[in-house]
Amino acid sequence: MKQKVVIKVSMHCQKCYSKALKIVVGSPGVESAALKGADKSEIEIIGDGMDTVELATSLKKKMKYAELVSVGPAGGGEKKEKPEEPEKETKPEVQVQPLVWSGYPGGVPYYNDYRVVYADPYYSPNWFIM
């Protein structure tokens, strides 16, 4: 399934634009990449089977700043209309009751801390080597 990924990268010159696009297009699974946004600081990537986290980290290593803005399905294909289905029965929502510690002094129960200390049988601070 094709994915559409938008990554915001800090770019300020033509060299930065071309460097970022080379990194993106060189990644496996990328089909197209384009600069978006008012100041062209976002890269819109469309591809199939690409690793978005790896893409963002490789951009961050080379460009010093990369932020994953959005990941979603590519919307360039035909839209199939689904027939309306009857509404399914909804389950009642479960409400969680807050836990109140009223019977304990200070409001919180006290538990003993039983820690096990293991002694090393081969080490003695009185031994020394001559």
Side-chain angles (χ1 to χ4, degrees):
M1 184 171 108
K2 287 190 178 183
Q3 287 183 332
K4 178 181 171 183
V5 180
V6 179
I7 299 176
K8 186 172 185 175
V9 182
S10 65
M11 298 181 284
H12 56 277
C13 63
Q14 186 64 34
K15 186 176 179 181
C16 293
Y17 295 143
S18 62
K19 183 177 180 181
L21 286 174
K22 280 182 183 179
I23 294 168
V24 169
V25 174
S27 298
V30 175
E31 293 177 5
S32 67
L35 296 173
K36 298 286 181 183
D39 56 348
K40 295 187 177 184
S41 65
E42 295 179 350
I43 302 175
E44 183 181 71
I45 308 158
I46 297 175
D48 188 20
M50 59 185 171
D51 188 8
T52 57
V53 175
E54 180 184 332
L55 224 124
T57 54
S58 64
L59 278 170
K60 190 172 185 175
K61 283 181 182 178
K62 298 289 183 175
M63 304 299 292
K64 305 299 180 202
Y65 174 79
E67 178 183 351
L68 197 58
V69 177
S70 68
V71 177
E78 296 178 12
K79 293 186 177 181
K80 298 178 182 178
E81 293 185 24
K82 295 181 181 179
E84 293 184 22
E85 296 179 10
E87 292 184 22
K88 296 180 181 178
E89 295 179 21
T90 58
K91 294 181 181 179
E93 292 184 23
V94 177
Q95 294 182 354
V96 178
Q97 295 288 334
L99 185 60
V100 179
W101 301 98
S102 60
Y104 297 99
V108 179
Y110 175 75
Y111 295 105
N112 290 329
D113 186 20
Y114 299 106
R115 295 188 183 177
V116 178
V117 178
Y118 294 100
D120 188 9
Y122 299 107
Y123 174 74
S124 175
N126 298 331
W127 294 354
F128 59 91
I129 298 174
M130 294 177 103

